[in-house]
Amino acid sequence: MRPRPPLKGRGVLSGTGLIVTGLVATLAAMVFPIWSYADRSGTGLAVLNAQSVTTGYGPLSALDRDFVTKVRLAGLWELPAGRLAEQKGTTDAVRTAGRHLVEGHTSLDDEVRDVAAKLSLQLPDEPTGQQRAWLETLGAAEGTEFDARFANILRLAHGKVFTVVAEVRAGTRNSLVRKLADDANTTVLDHIRVLEATGHVDYEALARDLVADSTPPLTPSPAPPGPVADPTPAEPVNPDPSPTYSLPPAASSPRPRTTGTP
């Protein structure tokens, strides 16, 4: 008996099946990570929700709670620092800056204690070790040395908290925290201005200290443009004292009027 020849198309069918199977497997491999990522724990939104508590004024996140604590801590050491400046400052500008600190943080401290009571938050009663060290430094300084130390220590501290206030104000979902951030922003900006008005702020040292505490960007910034070897001198523009402007031609002629037509 002669062997039966293979059926035509059987090999083609098997090859097509392998191709289809491979495509399905590839698609599943692409879809699975997306599906699993959407439900996995540890994402930004999941962490935010996990660390938030429900209040009558909106969700209260961990960042919100940390911000309320920082506002309280700022008052605990900047109020005494402001009083020292009122007493020991050698210029009107330094004493004025001290008065602004006292007035601003007196108002903010009243507000933050009211916010904490409504949100059932505990607040610290003493400044941090770093803040106590700053107060000791100011207490030991006299004359113009005090003026310089006061302006630079307080300006550095306000520069650091300024970014925190902006972050909280931009993202908080709690109405009490949002109002506190508004008031803190106004107060901090006022204090930055009066501290700079003393004329004692060392901006080079300030920039170095702020950069030292910040996280470097993942991608370095491009280098600034270099000097031009032979720049073309700028030429002044002398406008015509009585310029004239020609009107463009009409788009269409007016429709002729007919008798009896208004």
Side-chain angles (χ1 to χ4, degrees):
M1 178 181 295
R2 298 177 59 186
R4 295 176 61 187
L7 295 177
K8 293 183 180 181
R10 178 177 295 176
V12 176
L13 180 60
S14 300
T16 303
L18 289 174
I19 294 175
V20 171
T21 302
L23 290 175
V24 171
T26 302
L27 181 61
M30 295 174 61
V31 171
F32 177 74
I34 300 174
W35 168 80
S36 60
Y37 181 84
D39 291 338
R40 72 177 184 174
S41 60
T43 60
L45 183 59
V47 172
L48 176 65
N49 291 331
Q51 295 179 347
S52 297
V53 296
T54 303
T55 75
Y57 304 91
L60 185 71
S61 70
L63 180 61
D64 295 338
R65 296 193 295 273
D66 183 63
F67 169 69
V68 173
T69 300
K70 279 183 166 62
V71 173
R72 170 65 171 171
L73 285 171
L76 289 176
W77 83 277
E78 291 184 27
L79 268 169
R83 294 192 182 104
L84 284 174
E86 288 181 306
Q87 299 165 7
K88 302 174 68 172
T90 65
T91 65
D92 288 339
V94 173
R95 291 189 291 270
T96 296
R99 187 177 72 252
H100 277 242
L101 261 67
V102 171
E103 293 174 353
H105 283 288
T106 296
S107 176
L108 270 184
D109 197 61
D110 290 341
E111 182 177 357
V112 75
R113 286 188 283 115
D114 179 65
V115 168
K118 291 177 178 177
L119 297 176
S120 301
L121 297 177
Q122 289 186 334
L123 294 177
D125 292 325
E126 295 181 356
T128 66
Q130 176 66 78
Q131 293 167 342
R132 288 195 298 270
W134 284 335
L135 286 174
E136 291 173 2
T137 298
L138 295 177
E142 298 292 341
T144 56
E145 180 188 359
F146 170 84
D147 295 344
R149 289 185 180 274
F150 167 77
N152 285 283
I153 290 175
L154 271 297
R155 176 61 180 83
L156 175 62
H158 281 78
K160 290 180 178 179
V161 78
F162 202 37
T163 57
V164 177
V165 175
E167 181 181 4
V168 172
R169 179 59 182 85
T172 184
R173 297 170 290 172
N174 188 282
S175 59
L176 289 180
V177 174
R178 190 176 302 116
K179 174 63 166 57
L180 179 63
D182 276 338
D183 295 337
N185 182 72
T186 301
T187 301
V188 171
L189 184 57
D190 171 71
H191 292 175
I192 286 176
R193 287 169 173 164
V194 294
L195 288 166
E196 292 174 348
T198 64
H200 289 285
V201 174
D202 184 345
Y203 291 101
E204 291 295 330
L206 176 67
R208 289 194 300 269
D209 290 337
L210 289 175
V211 169
D213 291 337
S214 63
T215 303
L218 296 178
T219 303
S221 302
V228 179
D230 186 19
T232 303
E235 297 182 2
V237 177
N238 297 318
D240 190 341
S242 56
T244 58
Y245 304 96
S246 59
L247 294 176
S252 60
S253 302
R255 186 178 60 181
R257 297 180 59 183
T258 58
T259 304
T261 302

